Amino acid sequence: MSKPVVAIVGRPNVGKSTLFNALAGERISIVKDTPGVTRDRIYADVTWLDKSFTMIDTGGIEPESNDIILKSMREQAEIAIETADVIIFLTDVRQGLVDADSKVADMLRRSRKPVVLVVNKVDNFEKYMNDVYEFYNLGLGDPFPISSLGKLGFGEMLDEVCSHFRKDASEDEEDDRPRVAIIGKPNVGKSSIINKLLGKDRVIVSDIAGTTRDAIDTVIKRNGTEYVFIDTAGLRRKSKIKDEIERYSIIRTVTAVERCDVAVLVIDATMGVTEQDAKIAGIAHERGKGIIIAVNKWDAIEKDDKTMNKFRNSIRQTLSFMPYAEMLFISAETGQRMDKLFTMIDAVVQNCSLRVATGVLNEILAEAVATADPPSDKGKRLRLYYMTEVSVKPPTFVIFVNDKELAHFSYIRYIENKVREAFGFKGTPLKFIIRERKENQ
């Protein structure tokens, strides 16, 4: 089931990044007393009591500014509003209610999304409560007073945010159709791939980067199985600033990846693999999703017998953090190898849900330990007692050891490789949790 998405929006310099960092538990956004410092829209996973959600920090909204940076930040915020399930509208008690707040409130009302009105910088509730009441004039319901810096008032605010999450989660759980997110940079052919698979122009395609405005779900039926394809092309290139286009793609990717079982990362063969591809792939990798790398426009490349291997090696090097990813060289234009995509999706979906019996896992563990001695430090050697698979999507294993400090990353990677050798797990990341157990337990 996908996590709800919560966007923090508001005018520049009302404390959005400070609130974001306080909720995320780490300093992710740049915080500075200059309007427009948060240029990136940044996301983080947040848990409040028994609820988890993805939070987006946005650049500030200046409703009528023509400044190119503020204008492009406004566009980013608009995309965040479109994508979010719940919006936190942050205002500033020190500045009071200003005309721009009313304009932002109008924009939010038009979105028809649940809005939680939050008044920031209320460091002293007795002193500032009369000023907080002024924000009722926005017509967005009760204002929630908080202090991002002092971490005051968060409980009531988060309770209100979580109260707007969808209750009918069972609907998602009953839908067992494979969900496939098509991710990648603008203009690499994401919409063209869906159109080719569908056999007609369902998604608008143009040579202008970012033609598709909204992420679109397309159902494609093949051999009796229905697949839900999520197209993340939704970008609008109004700004001339190159970096902004890259930032737009991140929000679409995060929300689509949250909803998918398998992410298909589309790379443009004519451009090669880039750092931006690695950033986008990292979102799916971090969230434990199955991954297929589809190298599109392969028909446009001059080839000899070594071209594919060279390209494959280049991709493996840039995306070295996900050596498990499956790879396919395709052309949405000519249809080359497009039929193989479904076969690969089926295999990856199966691998993401593969369960391995505990007895078999422990045989692999014993053999791995016998082949390569576990690390030791100051005379103390790592002992691995037991391994079991505790969940799927992604397959997650717990290993019980005598001392977590001795369980070096490199040795756990060696164990992972042994598990992969035995069961494949192609296309899916594996997660390993190390638990300490005293020797006499």
Side-chain angles (χ1 to χ4, degrees):
M1 196 181 72
S2 62
K3 287 182 192 156
V5 175
V6 177
I8 305 173
V9 301
R11 293 182 297 104
N13 214 31
V14 293
K16 293 183 297 299
S17 297
T18 310
L19 174 59
F20 179 84
N21 291 335
L23 293 174
E26 50 191 305
R27 197 171 184 280
I28 300 173
S29 290
I30 305 157
V31 180
K32 196 177 171 190
D33 283 336
T34 312
V37 166
T38 311
R39 301 279 173 77
D40 283 310
R41 186 198 305 94
I42 304 177
Y43 61 93
D45 293 327
V46 176
T47 302
W48 171 246
L49 303 178
D50 60 340
K51 300 280 197 307
S52 291
F53 57 91
T54 297
M55 184 172 54
I56 307 163
D57 182 20
T58 65
I61 302 175
E62 279 284 7
E64 291 178 347
S65 171
N66 286 322
D67 177 280
I68 195 158
I69 296 283
L70 289 171
K71 194 176 168 200
S72 100
M73 279 160 49
R74 181 170 74 237
E75 288 164 16
Q76 289 184 57
E78 284 169 2
I79 290 175
I81 291 164
E82 283 170 22
T83 317
D85 297 297
V86 182
I87 297 158
I88 293 176
F89 176 25
L90 199 65
T91 56
D92 182 344
V93 76
R94 308 285 175 85
Q95 293 178 28
L97 183 59
V98 298
D99 189 40
D101 286 326
S102 302
K103 288 184 172 139
V104 175
D106 289 341
M107 187 192 294
L108 296 179
R109 255 192 296 275
R110 284 197 299 274
S111 75
R112 302 193 180 282
K113 298 284 177 75
V115 177
V116 178
L117 174 60
V118 179
V119 184
N120 192 23
K121 305 186 187 177
V122 183
D123 305 324
N124 183 319
F125 282 70
E126 285 179 20
K127 183 178 172 186
Y128 289 110
M129 274 318 285
N130 285 337
D131 298 323
V132 170
Y133 296 140
E134 181 188 11
F135 289 86
Y136 273 105
N137 291 318
L138 289 172
L140 292 172
D142 295 338
F144 287 83
I146 67 158
S147 166
S148 296
L149 213 54
K151 299 186 181 178
L152 302 173
F154 282 10
E156 285 187 10
M157 173 188 71
L158 290 171
D159 285 345
E160 179 65 17
V161 167
C162 294
S163 74
H164 294 289
F165 294 163
R166 226 163 34 99
K167 304 289 189 294
D168 55 339
S170 57
E171 190 186 305
D172 280 358
E173 285 161 16
E174 284 164 19
D175 185 355
D176 57 359
R177 295 176 298 180
R179 302 180 78 83
V180 184
I182 307 291
I183 63 175
K185 293 185 304 188
N187 217 27
V188 292
K190 298 187 291 294
S191 298
S192 301
I193 287 172
I194 291 178
N195 288 341
K196 193 68 180 180
L197 295 173
L198 197 62
K200 57 177 182 278
D201 281 359
R202 164 77 170 78
V203 184
I204 302 160
V205 178
S206 152
D207 285 338
I208 302 161
T211 310
T212 315
R213 181 163 174 236
D214 295 311
I216 300 168
D217 285 9
T218 306
V219 177
I220 298 175
K221 195 167 184 178
R222 188 179 168 89
N223 298 334
T225 303
E226 282 192 352
Y227 301 80
V228 179
F229 280 84
I230 307 162
D231 178 21
T232 59
L235 308 169
R236 291 169 288 177
R237 188 164 196 173
K238 290 181 183 173
S239 168
K240 294 282 184 269
I241 303 172
K242 179 177 169 289
D243 288 352
E244 296 305 321
I245 265 289
E246 296 185 355
R247 291 179 189 127
Y248 291 154
S249 61
I250 296 298
I251 182 59
R252 295 291 191 201
T253 304
V254 171
T255 50
V257 164
E258 284 289 2
R259 294 169 52 217
C260 79
D261 301 306
V262 177
V264 176
L265 173 69
V266 184
I267 290 173
D268 185 336
T270 62
M271 294 169 68
V273 64
T274 66
E275 203 178 304
Q276 172 82 14
D277 293 317
K279 278 183 197 168
I280 292 170
I283 294 167
H285 172 74
E286 281 168 17
R287 279 161 170 68
K289 304 293 182 174
I291 299 179
I292 295 167
I293 300 164
V295 183
N296 190 26
K297 308 183 188 178
W298 193 240
D299 57 312
I301 296 290
E302 282 187 31
K303 294 176 276 289
D304 58 31
D305 58 345
K306 296 185 182 67
T307 309
M308 192 178 279
N309 268 342
K310 276 184 192 167
F311 218 99
R312 200 184 292 276
N313 292 338
S314 170
I315 290 171
R316 290 290 182 215
Q317 198 171 351
T318 305
L319 308 181
S320 58
F321 56 88
M322 40 186 265
Y324 56 83
E326 288 282 59
M327 205 180 298
L328 193 61
F329 292 80
I330 63 168
S331 167
E333 181 80 21
T334 67
Q336 183 184 15
R337 297 193 193 88
M338 292 291 284
D339 55 328
K340 290 187 178 173
L341 191 56
F342 286 102
T343 311
M344 206 172 260
I345 288 166
D346 290 341
V348 172
V349 166
Q350 203 172 352
N351 287 338
C352 289
S353 302
L354 185 61
R355 287 192 181 272
V356 182
T358 300
V360 179
L361 278 174
N362 285 292
E363 281 175 26
I364 293 165
L365 186 65
E367 196 178 304
V369 169
T371 308
D373 284 342
S376 61
D377 184 41
K378 294 172 186 168
K380 188 174 184 182
R381 185 170 293 283
L382 173 70
R383 290 185 65 189
L384 298 94
Y385 300 120
Y386 182 75
M387 175 162 65
T388 185
E389 186 176 0
V390 291
S391 65
V392 294
K393 291 186 178 180
T396 302
F397 304 88
V398 173
I399 303 176
F400 291 93
V401 301
N402 62 332
D403 188 339
K404 277 171 79 169
E405 296 296 314
L406 293 173
H408 298 158
F409 168 79
S410 56
Y411 197 77
I412 301 307
R413 174 56 61 87
Y414 160 71
I415 300 290
E416 176 181 338
N417 290 339
K418 289 296 178 188
V419 171
R420 285 189 185 278
E421 275 173 30
F423 298 101
F425 282 115
K426 285 185 176 176
T428 180
L430 302 182
K431 191 176 173 189
F432 286 84
I433 299 165
I434 309 303
R435 291 258 165 84
E436 209 167 276
R437 197 179 79 183
K438 297 301 171 204
E439 302 200 27
N440 57 2
Q441 282 183 317

